[in-house]
Amino acid sequence: MDWDTDSRLAGPIGKKAADVLAPLGLETVGDLLRHYPRRYVDRGRLTDIAGLVPGEHATVVAQVEKATLRDMRRRNGQMLQVVIRDEKGGQLDCTFFSPHKVRRFIHPGVRAVFSGKVGTFNKRPQLTHPQFEALDETDSLRPFLSVYPSSSKITSQEIARSVRLALEQIDDPTDPLPEALRQRERLPELGRALRRIHVPESEADIHAARTRLVWDEALGVQLALALRRHDALARPAPACPSTGGGLLAAFDADLPFPLTEGQEAVGAEIAADLAREHPMNRLVQGDVGAGKTIVALRAMLQVLDAGKQAAMLAPTEVLAAQHARSLRGMLGALGRAGELDAAGNATSITLLTGSMGAKVKRQALLDAQSGAAGIVVGTHALIQDTVGFADLGLVVVDEQHRFGVEQRDALRARGATAPHMLVMTATPIPRTVAMTVYGDLAVSELKGLPRGRSPVATTVVPLAEHPGWIERVWQRIREEVERGHQCYVVCPRVGGTEKDEPELEEPPKDDDAGDDRRPPLAVLDIAPMIDEKLAGLRVGILHGKLPSEEKDAVMRAFERAELDVLVATTVIEVGVDVPNATGIVLLDADRFGLSQLHQLRGRVGRGSAAGLCLLVTEMPAATAARERLDAVASTTDGFELARLDLELRREGDVLGSSQSGSRSGLKLLSLLRHGDVIAKSQVYARDLVESDPDLHEHPRLRDLVGETLGDEERAAYLDKA
Ligand code: ADP
Ligand code: MG
């Protein structure tokens, strides 16, 4: 035939029909065929009008007998009163309140599917504003009606008609999936799957077609990641085998505690990776407080022992500064090169942040460039863009959830040899997300917490029901301080006059939250109130807008216990480690994302005393926001929370912009439901890329990669190949 999936729609279905579809972003036959039905109406499950039960949901097929426009008595405007009759003669009233929207489709003689909740009016059953789909002649023969995502300009049935026309006009497209794979997984051919997902004969048809099309999407993503991974691994990297002596050995000998089993195990994996001549690309995920910093430091020391430099990237200046301090603390004399009491083979740790004074910064840059700085700690942006290293062997990225795929690539692209890369995340990632979003990385799980950790008790403080409980919150803070401990009070915003940059991870939208909520509480706005409520305590304020010396000074004062309470924004979310802090109060807790709440809670319970986390909210019970808070209170298991988070979030948010753009081909793939297919397709993709690194012998699969990803990604991957 003349047309295939790449043809513009005007050819097979005519210009007029094609023009109507264009606003939906459907331009080619392939676009239209990948515009899958949202749901199906199973005609075997239709209800007869005579058998309708008020209060139940019903779907009926019936013909419009009468359609009358009436003025509404109590309100301005009109309504459309419709009488419909089914094949068995049963009659039913339907009422539509915005007649101008439906009049075009509903007039006597039209057959349609109507569905909605059955109500009663004047003792007769009726449907109020039911959903409806007009049917044409051929529809009556089909066991399933396909219902498409549509718009006010085009109905589902018009889309269905164009789809059927297009299907008649083309031959089955060539199948990108190799025959052997299809057979092994019992997947129908592409052409059959496309025909069946649009025009199914049975539920089994729908299921088989969907599974097949999900495979296309999963495999497309996994091939892209496998290509990326192969590309990264193929580069040369400086081999840094463990020397058995040097800084690492000296450090280990002086450790005040034994490493946990998890730290040993992950440490061994990393040590082996670093010894290779190809770059390590490893993600270490371990729950808050699992002890990732030491794992990273030991990796850096192995690299330093091989004569290379290491860089550590943190998402915020506060965290970068703290990392630099704690690395210096852990290394002791081993980290004081150039100072009088330094150990013989000592290295030095250089901090580099955007807001440092020009002179200090210049010196830091020089030290990185000359190699005088063994370890450079800084914020992502800065190290990426401005620092030249004498001989960079390892990049450690802390807190991956703030660090995107693109940035990872930017780092890799630095020089002729790629540095080893160690990515650490404290937000446990469900397996399917790890495979999809970080599928180009090897994953290590850092299991278990160091001994002597104390449990954190989490309580929701529901001010909607118990406004007086806020006083008890301040009281609890005083009690912690009286016992010699410290507390955090966290607000969603900084406040003040300027527009706030949101430091918040967007929580899932709450349908029940409404738009008219007051703005979230701000640190600067509540400071006077805190002064009053916590009078007599030493209170410090920390937020992203403070000059960095001031941030540093506040953080240091808190670390030295010169402050009792730190009122802060989410700048303290990641990494901040003050074991004497035992209480954390999250105000407007419902404004934070789930993993953010978990991170924040991880700031306490780090020492020997039990931790306390109070989630203060004004959201009423039984809202989605409260459910989220109850979830956080119900478990301290980060993995369980990550799974809940995935359920509460839209998937697009998880996949990130690069993989869920409007033009991307991910329509059916669900990280929740398709873990199995994702896992299998990852194995398949990696094997395939191993044997055919640029998919030379599988051009159709290369096309599939292109279809699955957005345009930009496509350019990035495929132009290389
Ligand atoms: P995270 O994994 O959240 O980044 P950190 O690396 O900040 O955790 O470690 C949290 C605390 O646990 C630090 O004070 C660190 O010194 C301590 N720690 C790390 N490993 C051990 C261990 N094996 N035994 C005891 N304490 C440890
Ligand atoms: Mg950390």
Side-chain angles (χ1 to χ4, degrees), residues 292-293 319 323 398-399 424 426 574-575 606:
K292 292 181 290 296
T293 316
L319 191 53
H323 271 321
D398 196 16
E399 314 300 353
M424 302 196 297
V574 282
R606 305 191 138 234

Side-chain angles (χ1 to χ4, degrees), residues 26 73 107 181 193 249 279 409 412 485 498 539 568 602 630 634 692 715:
L26 308 176
R73 239 176 281 158
H107 37 79
L181 171 65
D409 273 358
R412 282 196 195 116
H485 294 302
E498 309 133 82
V539 178
D630 289 341
S634 73
D692 182 12

Side-chain angles (χ1 to χ4, degrees), residues 247 323 334 436 518:
L247 288 166
H323 271 321
L334 293 174
T436 309
R518 63 162 169 72

Side-chain angles (χ1 to χ4, degrees), residues 175 334 421 423 463 536 540 543 660:
D175 199 322
L334 293 174
M421 183 158 345
V423 178
L463 297 185
H543 57 76
S660 68

Side-chain angles (χ1 to χ4, degrees), residues 273-349:
D273 281 356
L274 292 175
R276 296 205 182 93
E277 285 168 357
H278 295 289
M280 166 172 78
N281 283 291
R282 188 168 287 279
L283 171 75
V284 172
Q285 50 171 332
D287 213 337
V288 181
K292 292 181 290 296
T293 316
I294 285 179
V295 171
L297 176 56
R298 295 185 67 251
M300 292 194 273
L301 294 178
Q302 180 171 337
V303 167
L304 294 178
D305 283 338
K308 314 281 173 196
Q309 293 166 289
M312 184 161 191
L313 280 58
T316 63
E317 295 203 346
V318 170
L319 191 53
Q322 188 192 300
H323 271 321
R325 272 200 301 281
S326 74
L327 293 181
R328 279 191 195 117
M330 285 192 258
L331 281 175
L334 293 174
R336 289 199 283 267
E339 293 172 41
L340 281 178
D341 58 346
N345 52 351
T347 185
S348 77
I349 296 149

Side-chain angles (χ1 to χ4, degrees), residues 29 31 34 54 57 84 139 153 162 192 220 293 305 368 424 545 551 572 585 609 637 705 719:
V29 172
D31 292 343
R34 300 265 180 191
H57 190 93
I84 61 175
D139 283 324
K153 300 260 159 49
S162 292
R192 185 180 164 84
T293 316
D305 283 338
M424 302 196 297
K545 282 187 194 158
K551 265 189 273 190
I572 65 146
V585 175
D637 179 343
V705 175
D719 295 353

Side-chain angles (χ1 to χ4, degrees), residues 57-116:
H57 190 93
T59 303
V60 300
V61 168
Q63 185 150 16
V64 177
E65 288 210 323
K66 265 201 291 192
T68 326
L69 214 47
R70 291 251 164 85
D71 287 332
M72 280 193 275
R73 239 176 281 158
R74 295 210 188 84
R75 279 194 280 158
N76 275 341
Q78 296 183 303
M79 62 183 181
L80 190 67
Q81 282 204 325
V82 178
V83 181
I84 61 175
R85 176 200 278 275
D86 70 8
E87 280 171 351
K88 305 220 169 122
Q91 277 195 342
L92 180 67
D93 295 335
C94 299
T95 314
F96 293 90
F97 289 116
S98 21
H100 55 283
K101 283 195 189 144
V102 294
R103 265 182 84 194
R104 178 155 88 88
F105 310 110
I106 296 197
H107 37 79
V110 165
R111 275 166 50 76
V113 188
F114 298 85
S115 57

